[in-house]
Amino acid sequence: MAVAGVSVINILALSNRSYIWTRVCKFLWPFIVCISAIRAIIMIVQLYRGEDKITWECTNGGQLWGQSAEAGNPSTTTMPNAMCSTGWHAIFVIFIVSLLIDLVFQIYMLFLNWRFSKRLEHYNGMKGPHYGGYYYGS
């Protein structure tokens, strides 16, 4: 939710050339990228820890793992067939690749915001056609 919120603020700041909101996003993006990287690592570790449970559920016809049934989850639900037919390692690799793509997009947005904020900081120093620019001779 934080990534989506800062992305919307960043889109509005970039489209309106808002220096204040660009600076806010420039401050927030490094924290969000770090938190998202930590979250991705935790998700990968938790998925890897649950490998034996997922493979057990797939080999037993999609039946839920014993702890899931004891936790109050209904036993009538089963694992999706597509998840079991593709195999554990394919799902694991796809999950890791999708998390890495998400991080790359966030780092790219951080770069875009940084580049635009630098351009706004130097905007006053740019020479234009008005107020001492290249149309006026000195």
Side-chain angles (χ1 to χ4, degrees):
M1 297 302 278
V3 174
V6 174
S7 296
V8 168
I9 292 171
N10 206 5
I11 289 169
L12 293 173
L14 295 178
S15 64
N16 293 327
R17 294 185 182 172
S18 173
Y19 181 71
I20 294 171
W21 288 109
T22 304
R23 294 283 298 174
V24 167
C25 292
K26 185 179 176 184
F27 175 76
L28 290 176
W29 270 118
F31 294 113
I32 289 179
V33 169
C34 289
I35 290 170
S36 295
I38 292 169
R39 177 187 57 108
I41 291 169
I42 291 171
M43 290 171 73
I44 291 168
V45 167
Q46 288 296 325
L47 186 64
Y48 189 71
R49 283 181 55 198
E51 176 187 6
D52 56 344
K53 295 177 185 176
I54 293 172
T55 54
W56 184 90
E57 289 177 358
C58 286
T59 55
N60 289 318
Q63 180 183 354
L64 285 179
W65 178 258
Q67 294 173 351
S68 300
E70 291 172 2
N73 295 334
S75 60
T76 58
T77 59
T78 59
M79 289 280 288
N81 289 335
M83 203 167 164
C84 292
S85 64
T86 56
W88 163 253
H89 293 290
I91 292 171
F92 193 65
V93 168
I94 290 169
F95 187 73
I96 290 174
V97 168
S98 65
L99 286 174
L100 290 175
I101 290 171
D102 181 44
L103 284 174
V104 166
F105 281 142
Q106 289 179 27
I107 292 170
Y108 182 64
M109 195 66 176
L110 171 75
F111 169 74
L112 287 177
N113 190 26
W114 170 80
R115 182 69 190 114
F116 192 75
S117 68
K118 286 298 180 186
R119 181 168 246 173
L120 284 179
E121 288 172 6
H122 300 296
Y123 187 70
N124 291 335
M126 291 181 179
K127 296 290 185 184
H130 305 294
Y131 308 112
Y134 50 86
Y135 288 134
Y136 298 102
S138 45

